Amino acid sequence: MSKVVSHSFFTEFDINLFKGGKHFRLYNKLGSHLTEVDGVKGTYFAVWAPSAKSVSVIGDFNYWTAGEHELNVRWDSSGIWEGFIPGVDKGTKYKYKIHSNNNDIWTEKADPFARFCEQPPQTASLVWEDNHKWKDDTWMDTREAKNGLDRPYSVYEVHLGSWKKKNGWESLSYLELAEQLADYVEEMGFTHVEFMPVMEYPYDPSWGYQITGYFAPTSRFGKPEDFKVLVDALHQRGVGVILDWVPSHFPEDAHGLGFFDGSHLYEHPDRRRGYHPDWKSLIFNYGRNEVRAFLISNAIFWLDQYHVDGLRVDAVASMLYLDYSREDGEWEPNMYGNNENLEAMSFLREMNQEVYASFKGIQTIAEESTAFTGVTKPVHYGGLGFGMKWMMGWMHDTLEFFKKDPIHRSYDLNMISFSLTYAFTENFMLPFSHDEVVYGKQSLLYRMPGDEWQRFANLRLLFGYMFTHPGGNLLFMGGEFGQSSEWNFQESLDWHLTQYDFHSGIQEVIKDLNKMYKTNPALYEKQFNPDGFQWIEYNDQENTVISYIRKGNDPKDDLIIVCNFTPVPRENYRLGVPKTSTLKLVFNSDDKKYSGSGMGKKTMKPSKTSWNGYKQSVLMNLPPLGVVVYK
């Protein structure tokens, strides 16, 4: 048998789909695949390199010698090189040595479709397959009911490498996380975890946002099947899994996608549209059919092969605007003379349409920081088709308000109420993400003013306000126990802090808020619907207090929320209420079990005193820097 045997996984239909940018399962065709030809076991290789003069597979099996195993170019002008190499087995390290027609350039590249990669700083691809037996049938069968927009979304954002360390410095493996992280998330009551990028990346300080192996879970923490065990373990505990996905840019590392076959294959050839000045990285060519097929196939790959429940799409704003982070003269308007990237918009719409059509019960979430309209509107209504969008304006205004000394907050109460003027223009998720606890911004705890008691009371108030504001919510790891230092990707979270009452009190607050969120339909059934929210009082500047009602489908589920943003207790605070029935306390951020003062009434019977536009009212005792929730 010759060194490379002519063999193909592609049909004529596959090639037509690929050329048209409509093949969204390319991972079944391109890349390396263990197979058998004429009774001989080996590996089939296929790679897209239309500018190549020749493509060789180099690896352990041929001492990394170019020309030993040259692939065959297809006759159909698809630019695909392919062939079967006998005897190449699972675990074999390899790359593609590409000789380009473009100025006789040579490149040496990792496989864009590799399922497993060498651990950085090594850069080879590995021939791989696994036979993980999924045990999450119950979750997958009921996911559509659990993962809808009218269900709770309390997301715990995790950086796998720094959540917890062993031996003081070593990150936990996927298998260790499958036990420890899954147990912890279940105990804390989060509905979902969101992993910062798990796809293979070469540079640790990028936190995973500079990807070179789009189809491979990073080998830092174990094998691909080990990551499946982690997803499986979370599903078995009823916890959904969201992955950060980065179709916005990729690094220029020599073994990556950049200048792949001696041409601008994956990146846009115009530097004004193909290079990101902020991140020193390359931008995909969203107008090229084969590139769109690559990216949409990648989104589908994680939903298909890894049972993932959602994708949080990173840096959407940078994709939507041609002038993003560029000065005049550094960008070119589109055909209509404005700054919108029409090709990127088209790509995002097609991606969302395809993933929602292909998988029941999944969601896509846009990290989009501008006022671009229609991010979460359906594509057929002219929107981008995302399920949710991060509410960056709310996050910014809320943190700016909370860092103020309470004596000055009365003048800026509109910073808290303003979000409700646009809260239902999109399906918003409220994020306190990793970006808010790095680069000198300080931890959430240390952004709070006052002495130690006031810092923790403010943080409990912040979380209570967050969980009762319309929308889903997301909290970066460490925030749930009041991490005091900024996040450092090289170090573990400060778990030792949980031995102290104030910190363990924050943990208990998050547990109880998650329980309240999941067991009170008023907080989630209409979280993206203006019918689910009603102000009682949004401008009590004298007391620096706001109050509002959250509503579900059944009026008996309605909740009344009152927030006191000062350290001054408000005794006999009169509040108008819509009903004459007795109010029962559901949550009090000042409860003694959280290390609060314990102020507040368990029950209240309204009197026939008109107030706030209602015919009846109650006299409340509002705790200092506290939020109370009544049903």
Side-chain angles (χ1 to χ4, degrees):
M1 207 173 219
S2 60
K3 288 185 176 180
V4 176
V5 177
S6 293
H7 188 68
S8 182
F9 279 12
F10 286 90
T11 64
E12 185 178 350
F13 183 58
D14 287 323
I15 296 299
N16 288 334
L17 287 176
F18 178 56
K19 288 180 177 179
K22 301 296 182 182
H23 201 309
F24 302 138
R25 300 294 192 282
L26 285 175
Y27 51 89
N28 291 326
K29 306 290 180 176
L30 288 165
S32 60
H33 300 271
L34 292 168
T35 190
E36 189 174 306
V37 174
D38 296 332
V40 177
K41 293 181 178 179
T43 300
Y44 165 75
F45 294 90
V47 63
W48 179 50
S51 291
K53 184 182 297 183
S54 67
V55 177
S56 296
V57 182
I58 58 174
D60 288 346
F61 61 95
N62 63 13
Y63 305 101
W64 303 90
T65 306
E68 286 288 304
H69 292 85
E70 284 195 4
L71 298 179
N72 306 305
V73 66
R74 290 186 60 88
W75 53 268
D76 50 23
S77 71
S78 62
I80 293 172
W81 298 73
E82 61 183 351
F84 171 77
I85 303 179
V88 173
D89 203 358
K90 178 179 176 179
T92 299
K93 298 174 185 176
Y94 72 98
K95 286 185 177 180
Y96 296 116
K97 189 76 171 183
I98 303 171
H99 187 193
S100 178
N101 277 310
N102 183 16
N103 293 324
D104 213 33
I105 292 169
W106 289 84
T107 61
E108 190 171 300
K109 296 292 184 178
D111 190 342
F113 285 85
R115 305 291 182 93
F116 195 23
C117 303
E118 275 191 297
Q119 189 165 332
Q122 305 304 314
T123 58
S125 303
L126 276 71
V127 175
W128 204 259
E129 68 176 19
D130 71 80
N131 57 355
H132 176 74
K133 305 297 185 198
W134 290 93
K135 301 174 183 176
D136 62 349
D137 289 356
T138 300
W139 169 264
M140 296 299 285
D141 290 345
T142 58
R143 179 173 69 178
E144 190 171 12
K146 294 176 180 175
N147 222 30
L149 294 175
D150 59 351
R151 302 299 298 170
Y153 265 82
S154 179
V155 183
Y156 186 54
E157 187 189 20
V158 175
H159 177 260
L160 289 172
S162 59
W163 180 70
K164 188 179 287 187
K165 300 280 190 179
K166 58 187 178 183
N167 305 320
W169 60 273
E170 190 179 354
S171 298
L172 300 184
S173 68
Y174 292 131
L175 296 179
E176 289 165 329
L177 288 161
E179 296 181 6
Q180 297 182 42
L181 178 63
D183 285 347
Y184 182 72
V185 171
E186 182 180 34
E187 176 191 356
M188 293 300 296
F190 290 99
T191 63
H192 296 74
V193 294
E194 179 182 311
F195 292 132
M196 291 168 69
V198 300
M199 302 81 182
E200 194 59 82
Y201 57 100
Y203 187 50
D204 285 348
S206 77
W207 309 336
Y209 289 98
Q210 298 269 11
I211 296 172
T212 50
Y214 271 80
F215 291 83
T218 178
S219 54
R220 287 167 174 82
F221 315 119
K223 301 172 182 176
E225 55 264 41
D226 298 341
F227 182 60
K228 290 182 178 179
V229 171
L230 172 56
V231 175
D232 213 342
L234 288 160
H235 281 173
Q236 290 173 56
R237 288 163 172 79
V239 177
V241 177
I242 300 166
L243 296 188
D244 267 11
W245 186 52
V246 190
S248 49
H249 64 114
F250 58 93
E252 290 190 281
D253 293 62
H255 69 286
L257 296 176
F259 212 55
F260 188 80
D261 61 352
S263 72
H264 299 291
L265 191 61
Y266 288 92
E267 68 271 23
H268 199 285
D270 185 338
R271 197 77 167 171
R272 293 173 296 181
R273 297 178 64 178
Y275 181 74
H276 203 298
D278 283 356
W279 303 319
K280 307 293 188 291
S281 55
L282 301 173
I283 301 170
F284 285 103
N285 185 353
Y286 304 109
R288 187 164 191 168
N289 286 344
E290 297 91 342
V291 173
R292 290 166 71 107
F294 169 83
L295 287 170
I296 296 175
S297 289
N298 186 242
I300 284 176
F301 172 79
W302 294 101
L303 299 166
D304 175 25
Q305 298 290 300
Y306 285 85
H307 288 202
V308 166
D309 308 295
L311 298 171
R312 176 267 194 188
V313 184
D314 182 64
V316 171
S318 74
M319 301 170 65
L320 295 177
Y321 296 104
L322 296 166
D323 61 344
Y324 184 89
S325 198
R326 296 179 190 275
E327 302 295 332
D328 289 345
E330 295 178 349
W331 64 282
E332 186 179 41
N334 63 27
M335 60 189 290
Y336 301 113
N338 64 41
N339 65 342
E340 292 179 343
N341 189 331
L342 302 177
E343 293 170 346
M345 291 164 58
S346 170
F347 158 71
L348 290 169
R349 290 184 175 118
E350 186 170 26
M351 181 276 297
N352 278 317
Q353 282 181 306
E354 190 62 30
V355 298
Y356 277 107
S358 301
F359 301 95
K360 292 182 178 179
I362 61 96
Q363 297 292 347
T364 60
I365 305 161
E367 189 224 2
E368 204 286 308
S369 54
T370 73
F372 190 94
T373 57
V375 173
T376 61
K377 294 292 185 289
V379 172
H380 57 268
Y381 289 139
L384 294 181
F386 284 94
M388 282 175 272
K389 169 182 170 173
W390 276 17
M391 198 175 191
M392 310 293 276
W394 170 89
M395 176 272 298
H396 178 268
D397 288 349
T398 298
L399 291 178
E400 279 294 307
F401 176 84
F402 266 84
K403 79 176 185 182
K404 295 177 182 293
D405 188 302
I407 199 170
H408 301 301
R409 287 178 177 173
S410 63
Y411 306 109
D412 295 297
L413 205 54
N414 65 304
M415 293 180 74
I416 287 294
S417 60
F418 178 67
S419 60
L420 270 304
T421 64
Y422 65 94
F424 303 105
T425 58
E426 301 278 5
N427 300 334
F428 281 117
M429 176 176 284
L430 316 179
F432 289 139
S433 72
H434 63 276
D435 281 325
E436 303 317 308
V437 292
V438 290
Y439 299 144
K441 294 180 182 178
Q442 298 188 301
S443 65
L444 290 180
L445 176 65
Y446 274 84
R447 293 171 94 159
M448 303 295 112
D451 59 21
E452 184 180 47
W453 192 93
Q454 289 191 20
R455 284 187 191 275
F456 280 93
N458 267 303
L459 191 59
R460 296 192 299 267
L461 169 59
L462 174 69
F463 290 148
Y465 163 65
M466 175 191 192
F467 271 78
T468 56
H469 187 288
N473 54 72
L474 174 141
L475 181 60
F476 182 59
M477 64 182 197
E480 82 281 5
F481 62 79
Q483 168 102 359
S484 53
S485 60
E486 282 193 345
W487 171 55
N488 183 339
F489 73 93
Q490 295 173 308
E491 298 176 1
S492 169
L493 297 180
D494 295 332
W495 291 103
H496 64 277
L497 294 176
T498 58
Q499 66 185 299
Y500 302 110
D501 289 345
F502 276 130
H503 292 277
S504 63
I506 297 292
Q507 269 188 315
E508 292 303 313
V509 163
I510 294 297
K511 285 181 187 178
D512 287 350
L513 285 171
N514 275 327
K515 182 178 180 181
M516 177 183 74
Y517 183 30
K518 292 190 291 187
T519 57
N520 283 277
L523 292 176
Y524 60 79
E525 285 182 339
K526 295 182 178 180
Q527 59 192 340
F528 304 120
N529 185 332
D531 293 340
F533 180 88
Q534 182 177 330
W535 282 113
I536 297 176
E537 175 59 74
Y538 60 84
N539 198 32
D540 182 359
Q541 289 185 307
E542 181 180 349
N543 295 294
T544 321
V545 170
I546 63 170
S547 49
Y548 45 93
I549 303 170
R550 291 296 307 278
K551 301 178 179 183
N553 295 328
D554 190 332
K556 76 177 185 342
D557 293 328
D558 289 0
L559 297 176
I560 291 175
I561 297 99
V562 189
C563 301
N564 175 14
F565 293 109
T566 73
V568 181
R570 306 293 181 187
E571 294 190 5
N572 296 318
Y573 181 87
R574 186 170 293 279
L575 186 79
V577 293
K579 301 175 186 176
T580 58
S581 50
T582 299
L583 298 183
K584 295 182 179 180
L585 184 68
V586 174
F587 174 81
N588 179 4
S589 69
D590 192 49
D591 196 298
K592 288 184 177 179
K593 69 176 178 176
Y594 310 139
S595 296
S597 65
M599 185 178 179
K601 297 179 180 180
K602 298 287 187 185
T603 60
M604 294 180 293
K605 182 69 177 174
S607 64
K608 293 183 179 179
T609 303
S610 297
W611 206 259
N612 298 123
Y614 295 106
K615 294 180 179 180
Q616 53 279 323
S617 60
V618 293
L619 288 175
M620 312 182 76
N621 289 339
L622 294 183
L625 294 171
V627 53
V628 289
V629 181
Y630 285 92
K631 189 172 184 176

